Amino acid sequence: MSITIRIARKDDCPRLLELIRELAEYEKAPQEVTVSLEHFENAGFGAHPVWKAFVAADNENGQEQITGFALYYIRYSTWKGCRLYLEDIIVSERWRGRGIGKLLFDRLLEEAREKQFSGITWQVLEWNEPAINFYKKYNARFDPEWWNGSIEL
């Protein structure tokens, strides 16, 4: 295994969307993925990109294969200032348990420190014990007081 972490490129988007669908299956919500490839590409690489990502790629056979990614954007907290918001960190099921999630998360921490953000924020499903245990290794704090709100348009 020869994993490298790099910044996502537009031509990665089809594979990233495959991984998003894989995550949605794992989270028992495949019907919730409604974004099109065109919208996804434009949102990340169009005139006004709103997200960035790091990809984990295996280069062992001389052919790159994306095994996971971490997609984020900048969030502003009136209490804490600029923070990196981790929208999704995904490692393909067959590649889990090999330290790829750690490589991606460590790169996110590095990015947040380089940009002098006050921290990283994310959500995790309450039943996703593997993810919760992963974040606990970083001494993450979980806040049971706040509920998530959203409005579909």
Side-chain angles (χ1 to χ4, degrees):
M1 184 174 81
S2 176
I3 300 294
T4 57
I5 305 298
R6 63 166 174 78
I7 295 170
R9 302 183 300 252
K10 184 176 180 178
D11 63 339
D12 296 328
C13 287
R15 175 63 179 144
L16 301 186
L17 207 47
E18 285 176 12
L19 289 168
I20 290 166
R21 289 188 180 106
E22 183 180 323
L23 176 67
E25 288 285 340
Y26 176 77
E27 292 183 349
K28 302 169 183 65
Q31 72 286 354
E32 296 297 323
V33 179
T34 59
V35 67
S36 69
L37 177 59
E38 179 182 17
H39 181 87
F40 186 65
E41 288 175 343
N42 286 337
F45 300 95
H48 304 286
V50 296
W51 62 262
K52 297 179 181 184
F54 293 110
V55 300
D58 177 43
N59 299 294
E60 193 160 309
N61 299 324
Q63 181 125 340
E64 184 181 74
Q65 179 185 3
I66 294 174
T67 60
F69 74 96
L71 187 144
Y72 68 95
Y73 53 88
I74 309 313
R75 172 181 180 258
Y76 188 80
S77 165
T78 56
W79 291 11
K80 302 287 185 185
C82 289
R83 299 176 74 77
L84 187 150
Y85 186 85
L86 173 59
E87 177 64 25
D88 277 320
I89 185 167
I90 304 168
V91 175
S92 184
E93 186 173 10
R94 68 185 197 88
W95 288 90
R96 291 182 195 149
R98 302 181 196 193
I100 296 169
K102 181 181 182 340
L103 291 172
L104 286 164
F105 201 75
D106 287 349
R107 183 61 185 94
L108 290 169
L109 289 168
E110 183 182 336
E111 179 82 355
R113 287 183 182 113
E114 285 173 1
K115 301 218 181 303
Q116 298 182 331
F117 295 155
S118 63
I120 298 177
T121 305
W122 67 90
Q123 298 171 309
V124 62
L125 289 167
E126 63 185 352
W127 57 261
N128 192 343
E129 287 295 322
I132 292 167
N133 290 334
F134 172 82
Y135 295 127
K136 283 181 177 178
K137 292 176 187 173
Y138 288 89
N139 296 316
R141 183 177 61 87
F142 298 94
D143 189 343
E145 295 179 17
W146 289 88
W147 288 22
N148 295 312
S150 70
I151 297 173
E152 298 296 322
L153 300 175

